Amino acid sequence: MKYGIVIFPSKPIQDEINAYRKRYDSHYALIPPHLTLKEAFEADDEKIRELITELKHIANETEQFNVSIDKVSTFAPVTNTIYLKLNQHQQLSDLAEEMQTGKFPENQTYSFVPHITIAQKLSQDEHSDVYGSLRMKDIQLEDTIDRFHLVYQLDNEVWTVYESFVFGKEFV
């Protein structure tokens, strides 16, 4: 089965982000707005049980933190993906780093860039138009992060939560 580890922003932030995603993100219906801590990986039931224990330890050692979003950016020319950039926060980087070591599969394709995708798989012209328009918007979002989620992909490609891990509150 295919799994991933993500942070979902709060509902008000998700609603605001979905206003963009509905129009520009082909994966809108497959997963809510999220920040990917660990990209998709394959694992069997035994491996997932082992990783869940590790995720509980990580959650217990992590304190909630605040993030802010005030910029639209793009991964072009690598991909025509447009995203909201989360201002770098050490705890966020540390979380992502922990999920690339130890018992976790080493599958990191790109360097960790804290972001929430709002548009992807656009043609060159679409990308140019949408990015030009969105980067002029005044975006000021703040959120408190207090948990992350192990998600898995269903047969219809929709991602759903397998288990959530609240910072400082997991029993191992």
Side-chain angles (χ1 to χ4, degrees):
M1 192 171 284
K2 194 181 281 188
Y3 295 88
I5 302 170
V6 301
I7 292 173
F8 293 118
S10 63
K11 180 78 168 97
I13 303 289
Q14 284 190 40
D15 291 345
E16 194 154 337
I17 293 169
N18 272 333
Y20 301 114
R21 289 185 70 226
K22 283 179 192 174
R23 295 177 62 193
Y24 307 122
D25 187 355
S26 57
H27 292 168
Y28 167 75
L30 301 179
I31 189 168
H34 64 283
L35 165 85
T36 302
L37 288 173
K38 175 90 177 145
E39 62 189 78
F41 62 93
E42 295 283 337
D44 59 22
D45 290 347
E46 183 180 330
K47 182 67 174 174
I48 284 301
R49 282 192 298 277
E50 190 177 302
L51 291 180
I52 285 172
T53 300
E54 190 69 18
L55 290 168
K56 286 179 179 182
H57 285 295
I58 292 169
N60 277 336
E61 295 169 4
T62 305
E63 293 181 18
Q64 75 177 25
F65 55 92
N66 295 324
V67 295
S68 61
I69 301 169
D70 58 12
K71 181 179 178 183
V72 173
S73 196
T74 181
F75 288 124
V78 177
T79 70
N80 284 347
T81 300
I82 300 170
Y83 61 88
L84 295 174
K85 186 174 185 340
L86 276 78
N87 290 325
Q88 190 60 278
H89 194 285
Q90 192 58 49
Q91 281 179 280
L92 199 50
S93 296
D94 291 348
L95 270 176
E97 182 65 30
E98 283 188 80
M99 294 176 193
Q100 299 303 325
T101 60
K103 298 177 182 184
F104 293 96
E106 294 180 35
N107 68 330
Q108 188 171 5
T109 308
Y110 301 105
S111 296
F112 179 67
V113 176
H115 72 280
I116 298 174
T117 299
I118 55 175
Q120 59 186 314
K121 299 189 178 173
L122 303 172
S123 72
Q124 197 61 41
D125 288 343
E126 286 174 313
H127 176 268
S128 221
D129 289 347
V130 171
Y131 181 57
S133 166
L134 290 178
R135 71 179 177 180
M136 308 252 264
K137 294 206 176 283
D138 180 32
I139 296 172
Q140 299 293 322
L141 302 173
E142 291 191 16
D143 206 3
T144 300
I145 307 301
D146 68 350
R147 68 193 66 208
F148 57 79
H149 310 273
L150 176 65
V151 294
Y152 69 102
Q153 192 174 37
L154 302 171
D155 291 339
N156 63 1
E157 297 188 359
V158 170
W159 289 87
T160 191
V161 173
Y162 187 89
E163 191 164 335
S164 297
F165 303 88
V166 179
F167 299 162
K169 299 203 185 318
E170 293 300 321
F171 297 101
V172 180

